[in-house]
Structures are given as structure tokens and as C-alpha cells.
Amino acid sequence: MLEELVKKYDKMQKKYGDPKLDSINFGGCLENPDVCFVFMNPTARNVTSQKTWKGIKSPWVGTKNVWTLFNKLGLIDNEIYTRIRSIKGSDWTYEFAEEVYGQVAKNKFYITNLAKCTQVDARALPDSVYKDYLNLFLKEMEIVNPKVIILFGNQVSSVVLGEKISVSQVRKKEFLLKNKFKCYSVFYPVGNGSFNVDKSIEDILYIIDSQKK
């Protein structure tokens, strides 16, 4: 069923993404993960967006900063994190990408973007683009069935939850999506939001711990 979504995401790349790039889909634990992390949309910094890339098309491959977040959360071990930090994005191999996402799956988390349309840079997308992905995203969540969903940033949170969200006002507050999925809104931890990464880590650790009780 996820394969069918991938086909649809690829079609939407032609509508909303850069035509020279491929869409980026998802990765990690594909069946009932402990945590699902939802980012905005991918950029060309992800090496898997290149049409010559024949490996997995998963978020953040070839980048560094987001893996620092996952390492500090204890979701990526120090050995593989050190290797991520030591190589250039262009030096990621198909095998290394599989190894990293093998650890993501082993540690029971899942990484995706609300919009899968890859842009050449981190340009802002209008709400209308994210809203056009929403139904497919909800189908994705039904298939993967995460125990908890972490939505990064005001825009993603507002589109998914269907109400105006300011992360600073709803920290550690639980929302219920489709009367089924527990969701939390967390500060965006990379790019322009990197100055809030400590707050992101604090809130995510709280959320993960609260699921164990």
C-alpha cells in the first residue's frame, strides 16, 4: 500500500517540485513505530533527490544537522553519527543510507515530510501545497500506524491539525488527529529553527517518556 502512495507522491513532484529532482518519501520503521517525525518538505541537499540515485528515497540522506537531533535523543548511536558527521553529503553510498535507516527502523521510529515535493532550496511553500498533500499523508499514517506523531513547526502543525497552531503556546500538549493518532507540535529543529533545538529535544524526550507510562 505504501508503494501506491509513492507513485502518487512521484506524480505530485511534477506539479509542485523541481522537475530535475525526484520526490523524497519516508523511511524507518514502517509498521507501528513508537514515534513518527513529520517535517516540511525535502530539498536538493538530500542526495537521494538526484535522478541518478538508485537507492532508498528517504528524508535527510546526505545531510548532517537533523542527525545531531536524533543522536541527542538517543535514536542514532554515536558510531553511526560520527560517520555521518565525517563525510560529505555526496559521499553517502546506497549501502550507508540503508545502514542509517536500518538503525532508524531498529529503534522504532519513522521519518517523513508532510509534502514530498523536492525543491532546489529551502524556499517557503504556501499552505495550499501542504493541504494538497494532507489526504495522502493521512493515508500514510493509517498504513504506518504510529503510536505518536511529532509535527515540526507552526505551518506543518496547523495544516495537519486543521487549526492555527503556535508551537510556543502548545508545548507538550497532546492533540488527537482523526480521533485516533496522538500528536504533539514541536519547534522546527533545523535551518532557521535551529536556535530552538534544545526546546525541541526537551519536548520530544518528554513525549517519548510519556508514552512509556
Side-chain angles (χ1 to χ4, degrees), residues 6-192:
V6 169
K7 293 177 183 177
K8 292 177 180 179
Y9 288 142
D10 287 345
K11 288 182 179 179
M12 292 184 76
Q13 174 69 19
K14 297 176 182 178
K15 183 176 181 180
Y16 292 120
D18 188 283
K20 298 185 295 295
L21 301 171
D22 282 350
S23 62
I24 305 300
N25 299 304
F26 39 72
C29 179
L30 304 181
E31 185 174 340
N32 197 215
D34 290 340
V35 187
C36 167
F37 294 100
V38 184
F39 293 89
M40 299 176 73
N41 61 280
T43 74
R45 287 187 62 204
N46 185 321
V47 295
T48 78
S49 66
Q50 303 303 311
K51 293 187 177 295
T52 53
W53 178 274
K54 303 304 180 184
I56 59 172
K57 299 275 186 178
S58 297
W60 303 108
V61 174
T63 69
K64 298 182 187 296
N65 291 343
V66 79
W67 301 107
T68 300
L69 171 75
F70 291 136
N71 176 253
K72 289 182 177 180
L73 292 170
L75 297 174
I76 288 290
D77 69 32
N78 289 333
E79 188 273 332
I80 205 164
Y81 173 65
T82 299
R83 290 163 63 194
I84 289 171
R85 297 296 302 182
S86 68
I87 64 174
K88 297 178 181 178
S90 57
D91 290 337
W92 280 59
T93 62
Y94 306 151
E95 294 77 16
F96 185 54
E98 290 279 3
E99 185 178 354
V100 170
Y101 267 91
Q103 189 164 122
V104 172
K106 179 182 177 182
N107 288 330
K108 298 277 289 181
F109 69 108
Y110 177 85
I111 307 172
T112 191
N113 291 287
L114 175 54
K116 283 28 176 210
C117 50
T118 310
Q119 308 294 329
V120 294
D121 52 27
R123 66 190 62 190
L125 295 179
D127 285 358
S128 59
V129 174
Y130 291 109
K131 288 178 180 178
D132 208 14
Y133 276 91
L134 184 57
N135 284 337
L136 290 177
F137 170 76
L138 293 174
K139 290 179 182 177
E140 185 182 331
M141 294 300 98
E142 290 286 348
I143 295 168
V144 177
N145 192 31
K147 295 177 182 175
V148 66
I149 298 172
I150 291 177
L151 305 166
F152 284 113
N154 295 339
Q155 190 174 24
V156 167
S157 299
S158 297
V159 171
V160 172
L161 296 174
E163 61 180 279
K164 186 68 174 178
I165 297 292
S166 174
V167 174
S168 62
Q169 302 300 312
V170 296
R171 292 180 65 187
K172 303 176 183 175
K173 177 181 176 180
E174 183 179 298
F175 295 86
L176 199 59
L177 176 65
K178 306 293 286 186
N179 293 315
K180 179 177 182 180
F181 299 109
K182 291 186 286 187
C183 296
Y184 291 84
S185 182
V186 172
F187 286 107
Y188 208 83
V190 292
N192 291 334

